Amino acid sequence: MRNSSIGFALAAVLLAAACAQQPSTTRAHAAASDAAVTIAPAAAVPPGDVHAVDRATTASDYCVQCHTFADDLNSNHPVRVSLAIAATGPGYLFPPDPAIVLREGVWVECSSCHDDGSAGFPRRTVLADTCAGCHDDGGFPPYTTITSPVDRAAVSGTIQVVASASGVVRAELWGGPSPYDTALLQTAVPAGGTVTYTVDTTALADGPFTFLVRVYDASGGNDSSYVRVQVSNPAAPPVTVQIGSPAPNALVRGIVPVLATAANATQAELWYLGDVGDGIRLATAPVAPDGTVAFSFDSRAFPDGSALLTVVGTGPGGTSQHGVATRIDNTPPAVALTAPADGTVVRFETTLAATAEDANGISSVAFHVDGVLLATRTAAPYEVVWTPARRSGLHTLTAVATDVAGNVATSAAVSVQAK
């Protein structure tokens, strides 16, 4: 390989005269108003031509050894190599690797066209003439310009990114915080010389954002254009959650409906926290358009005792939660019929008596004769007077206790003989 400084010096000497004759107003891209564009014919690079020299580069500036005249009206010169791209591999190297040798099989990008950071044009190998992307006789590579939104525009909500795409078979929309840091967002097949992408900017973070459209023709030639915008969506309203049922400190049993409102939320979760252990997420449900959400809590899967039921709502405005303390009681009360004794013979008024106990309290005790309700008592002593019909025979007596949570228990039956 030749020494790079010798190569550059030789390049400057050999091509100074030829390059000086190139007019400074040559356009690298055809304007829409151009009636005709004159393009220098392509020629094979002969041995010994400075363009065929194997060039070792630091980071840039080998073309500028020849092309040192002033910028033209389109600011297309002087030419500089701004990026080196491997012909195969992951893509652009930014910043360029000083160790890259510019030789056949290595792609380059000229900053004459792309000091603004757009990428992909021209993509030619060094020995095939870096500048052939603009100046060969095969015509221009595909060309694209983003027409909407305009550069530096403020955008919000759902927008359309529109770009020209004449003679293009495929187009890509890239986006990111800067032209040098983008990711592929969408692909499309252009129609009618344009390509349109629909973008929901609410999915993007507020602040500077770059949209870059890259287009490809059938031969793989490509071009790109980008605009920088300011994403500014109104702040989403905060999420608020309120549990309406069960009520705070309620005794619950069995299947418990948990009803809540989760304003400005799209999804909600139900969590359980007992006396010990970590919280358990029980269910997830979408929030209805009116802001309501409903869950079913099966308290039978958990031990009796304290339980904190919490609904967590999530929406564009963040998360919020509300919890209610409850007490699970799925244990029935203890009840016994204490009078009359089993096997008693009764003739006249007879007192039926029962005892009932529960950790959370007794709501009522009901007395039944032969399965038919005789009377109900809501406070101790739990007693009722029964007068059997004379000579009515054998009767079965029971007491049914209900605790304040709604659990029900029936005493052992007592049989008596009426004579």
Side-chain angles (χ1 to χ4, degrees):
M1 180 177 295
R2 301 181 185 182
N3 181 279
S4 60
S5 61
I6 295 175
F8 287 144
L10 179 60
V13 172
L14 293 178
L15 296 186
C19 290
Q21 296 176 4
Q22 186 171 347
S24 62
T25 56
T26 299
R27 293 184 178 179
H29 297 145
S33 61
D34 287 347
V37 177
T38 301
I39 302 172
V45 179
D49 189 292
V50 67
H51 286 97
V53 173
D54 229 12
R55 298 172 180 85
T57 182
T58 53
S60 63
D61 292 359
Y62 80 90
C63 289
V64 76
Q65 300 299 319
C66 299
H67 300 275
T68 57
F69 39 85
D71 292 355
D72 67 11
L73 297 178
N74 287 328
S75 299
N76 288 317
H77 291 288
V79 177
R80 293 171 182 263
V81 175
S82 57
L83 296 176
I85 308 106
T88 59
Y92 296 99
L93 301 176
F94 186 81
D97 185 345
I100 286 181
V101 176
L102 298 181
R103 62 183 183 274
E104 192 71 45
V106 174
W107 297 102
V108 297
E109 178 184 5
C110 288
S111 63
S112 60
C113 300
H114 302 288
D115 271 340
D116 61 357
S118 57
F121 167 75
R123 289 176 59 129
R124 303 299 173 102
T125 63
V126 173
L127 297 187
D129 189 355
T130 300
C131 297
C134 295
H135 301 291
D136 62 18
D137 61 354
F140 286 90
Y143 186 68
T144 186
T145 299
I146 295 178
T147 57
S148 179
V150 298
D151 194 43
R152 309 293 182 178
V155 297
S156 61
T158 299
I159 66 168
Q160 289 188 327
V161 179
V162 182
S164 61
S166 179
V168 170
V169 297
R170 180 167 61 93
E172 300 170 343
L173 176 65
W174 295 67
S178 77
Y180 304 104
D181 185 9
T182 58
L184 182 62
L185 303 180
Q186 301 179 39
T187 59
V189 176
T194 62
V195 60
T196 301
Y197 301 93
T198 300
V199 179
D200 181 7
T201 67
T202 61
L204 307 176
D206 282 359
F209 194 82
T210 296
F211 289 112
L212 185 149
V213 173
R214 181 171 290 120
V215 297
Y216 300 84
D217 63 16
S219 65
N222 61 86
D223 186 32
S224 60
S225 175
Y226 73 87
V227 292
R228 293 152 294 189
V229 298
Q230 185 75 17
V231 178
S232 180
N233 285 294
V239 175
T240 58
V241 177
Q242 182 69 42
I243 296 178
S245 177
N249 302 313
L251 276 169
V252 296
R253 58 176 293 272
I255 304 297
V256 182
V258 180
L259 308 178
T261 57
N264 307 315
T266 57
Q267 181 174 279
E269 298 173 343
L270 176 65
W271 288 74
Y272 159 88
L273 179 63
D275 287 327
V276 295
D278 297 329
I280 301 172
R281 181 172 60 186
L282 302 178
T284 300
V287 178
D290 63 358
T292 60
V293 62
F295 297 98
S296 291
F297 169 55
D298 188 353
S299 66
R300 297 168 300 183
F302 302 94
D304 285 4
S306 299
L308 179 66
L309 299 179
T310 301
V311 173
V312 180
T314 302
T319 62
S320 181
Q321 64 183 39
H322 180 230
V324 293
T326 61
R327 188 167 186 82
I328 297 175
D329 181 3
N330 284 303
T331 302
V335 59
L337 191 63
T338 57
D342 189 54
T344 300
V345 175
V346 295
R347 291 184 174 85
F348 305 106
E349 290 184 352
T350 301
T351 297
L352 277 61
T355 59
E357 296 180 347
D358 185 84
N360 293 306
I362 296 297
S363 173
S364 65
V365 174
F367 294 90
H368 294 258
V369 177
D370 300 327
V372 178
L373 177 65
L374 175 64
T376 300
R377 296 293 182 261
T378 58
Y382 304 111
E383 296 179 351
V384 63
V385 175
W386 169 55
T387 303
R390 294 185 64 186
R391 301 184 186 87
S392 54
L394 189 67
H395 296 279
T396 301
L397 310 178
T398 56
V400 178
T402 304
D403 65 16
V404 293
N407 297 297
V408 177
T410 301
S411 70
V414 170
S415 295
V416 295
Q417 182 74 37
K419 289 186 178 181

